[in-house]
Amino acid sequence: MRVTTEFWVSALLRRVFGAGGFAAVVKRGATEAGAVFVLSRGRLGDVSLFGPAPQTSYDSDKPDDRFFTLLGAGDDAAGLDARLEREKKFDPDIWVVEIEAGTVSVEELLSVKTP
């Protein structure tokens, strides 16, 4: 049985705060199975957007894990915000979580798959 999105997001927020970072739910989506997008803002102005990895990235040994892929990075926050707005129009049930990771890297908080 897979944990609900609400529960998973709650655990992510606790991990971020435990690492000395900051996190906030910008948009709350479907409680049970909403897709999660994570916007990571660095303290020097860098921004990264992570979204759900394609289904082909999932590991049959860990079917309950949530995997993410990097959708964009750099200092163009407006471009990534526009991408999120398009995602919200396509799927109104998505979650958007914004984080400043603190003392750990985002890759330690999320399972990031590279293409």
Side-chain angles (χ1 to χ4, degrees), residues 2-111:
R2 189 172 181 163
V3 300
T4 65
T5 302
E6 181 178 44
F7 185 84
W8 188 90
V9 168
S10 176
L12 174 62
L13 296 178
R14 287 178 184 246
R15 288 193 310 268
V16 172
F17 286 126
F22 174 78
V25 175
V26 176
K27 181 184 181 311
R28 185 181 177 88
T31 302
E32 296 294 322
V36 179
F37 289 82
V38 177
L39 189 62
S40 172
R41 295 190 188 268
R43 296 186 179 168
L44 300 176
D46 53 318
V47 182
S48 301
L49 177 62
F50 297 89
Q55 291 294 323
T56 56
S57 299
Y58 284 78
D59 186 350
S60 59
D61 293 335
K62 299 178 182 177
D64 296 333
D65 284 358
R66 290 181 187 259
F67 294 105
F68 292 83
T69 187
L70 180 63
L71 301 176
D75 58 2
D76 182 20
L80 295 179
D81 287 337
R83 168 84 186 258
L84 276 174
E85 288 304 315
R86 288 191 305 272
E87 293 289 346
K88 289 178 194 175
K89 287 179 183 175
F90 178 73
D91 181 5
D93 290 333
I94 68 169
W95 288 70
V96 178
V97 180
E98 189 168 326
I99 65 172
E100 282 186 18
T103 60
V104 299
S105 68
V106 174
E107 288 77 10
E108 292 180 57
L109 298 167
L110 303 174
S111 296

